[in-house]
């Protein structure tokens, strides 16, 4: 996943714990119809350091996690066909020396916890806390979010069975405005081999 043009530490940490031993790897950066910025080069560096041979990379478009109007419904049928065709292209390629967009050093990653609300619909199932990738929601008190850990992935919002957790309307509107010019037009998936 791409957040703020970077790969969250919670996604990189498991890769660092694996020894690739020269295994071939295809990198996939999923982004919310804005841009991947430095995500593929950061992922490339992490995977190479773990011993993987990088043979391809893909930028895959999805709905934006905070402002779903950007990339709404993505990946769609067209995206799925295209991504499958990427696999065929990678298999048919004779040599693999991908060059990815991005810069080193990577852009600053400024995670920020969105103002989350918890409505009376909450049934205290704790699914939000159980599934938070960075343990930002305490199992003992699901109404609070650790702003130091949270990077606004919105997984807690997406898994809530009663739709009790959400970002505030004020935050939603602010995000939509900030992204309006950079994420409005349909972005395309890209293949690097």
């Amino acid at each position: 996943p791409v957040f703020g043009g970077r790969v969250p530490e919670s996604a990189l940490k498991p890769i660092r714990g694996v020894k690739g031993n020269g295994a071939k790897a295809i990198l996939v950066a999923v982004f919310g119809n804005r841009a991947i910025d430095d995500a593929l080069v950061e992922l490339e560096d992490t995977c190479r350091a773990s011993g993987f041979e990088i043979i391809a990379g893909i930028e895959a478009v999805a709905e934006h996690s905070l402002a779903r109007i950007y990339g709404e419904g993505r990946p769609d049928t067209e995206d799925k066909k295209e991504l499958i065709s990427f696999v065929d292209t990678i298999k048919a390629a004779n040599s693999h020396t991908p060059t990815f967009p991005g810069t080193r050093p990577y852009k600053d990653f400024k995670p920020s916890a969105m103002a989350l609300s918890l409505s009376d619909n909450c049934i205290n199932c704790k699914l939000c806390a159980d599934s938070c990738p960075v343990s930002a929601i305490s199992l003992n008190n699901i109404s609070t979010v650790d702003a130091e850990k949270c990077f606004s992935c919105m997984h807690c919002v997406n898994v809530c069975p009663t739709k009790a957790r959400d970002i505030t309307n004020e935050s939603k509107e602010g995000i939509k405005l900030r992204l309006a010019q950079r994420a409005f037009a349909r972005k395309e998936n890209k293949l690097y081999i």
Side-chain angles (χ1 to χ4, degrees):
V2 177
F3 289 91
R6 297 280 305 275
V7 180
E9 179 59 28
S10 60
L12 294 174
K13 188 176 180 180
I15 296 169
R16 290 189 186 109
V18 174
K19 294 198 184 304
N21 295 321
K24 293 178 177 13
I26 300 167
L27 310 180
V28 180
V30 179
F31 69 106
N33 203 61
R34 186 189 68 77
I36 64 159
D37 297 319
D38 297 335
L40 277 175
V41 293
E42 182 175 24
L43 192 54
E44 175 187 26
D45 293 346
T46 302
C47 289
R48 285 195 193 285
S50 289
F52 290 95
E53 178 189 344
I54 312 305
I55 63 167
I58 296 171
E59 291 183 28
V61 184
E63 282 185 359
H64 196 279
S65 63
L66 299 173
R68 295 191 173 276
I69 63 166
Y70 303 120
E72 187 173 9
R74 308 271 312 268
D76 55 23
T77 303
E78 183 181 319
D79 291 319
K80 291 173 186 175
K81 287 179 188 174
E82 185 173 44
L83 294 169
I84 290 169
S85 78
F86 287 173
V87 173
D88 295 335
T89 302
I90 294 166
K91 286 179 182 177
N94 288 329
S95 65
H96 301 279
T97 54
T99 302
F100 301 116
T103 60
R104 294 175 180 93
Y106 320 124
K107 69 181 279 186
D108 286 338
F109 180 60
K110 299 171 188 154
S112 60
M114 288 287 118
L116 290 166
S117 61
L118 189 62
S119 76
D120 292 340
N121 293 344
C122 179
I123 57 174
N124 203 30
C125 68
K126 302 186 182 193
L127 188 57
C128 56
D130 281 334
S131 61
C132 178
V134 293
S135 302
I137 303 169
S138 168
L139 282 167
N140 296 328
N141 183 2
I142 62 166
S143 65
T144 60
V145 177
D146 184 337
E148 294 293 316
K149 293 179 179 179
C150 177
F151 61 94
S152 300
C153 71
M154 296 297 112
H155 189 66
C156 60
V157 172
N158 293 326
V159 300
C160 181
T162 62
K163 306 298 178 208
R165 189 176 292 279
D166 203 354
I167 58 175
T168 64
N169 287 333
E170 183 179 280
S171 292
K172 283 181 190 176
E173 291 307 311
I175 292 161
K176 286 179 190 176
L177 287 174
R178 281 196 306 269
L179 293 172
Q181 291 190 5
R182 296 175 67 190
F184 182 75
R186 181 182 174 97
K187 299 294 190 314
E188 298 305 319
N189 303 299
K190 294 181 184 174
L191 171 64
Y192 302 90
I193 54 173

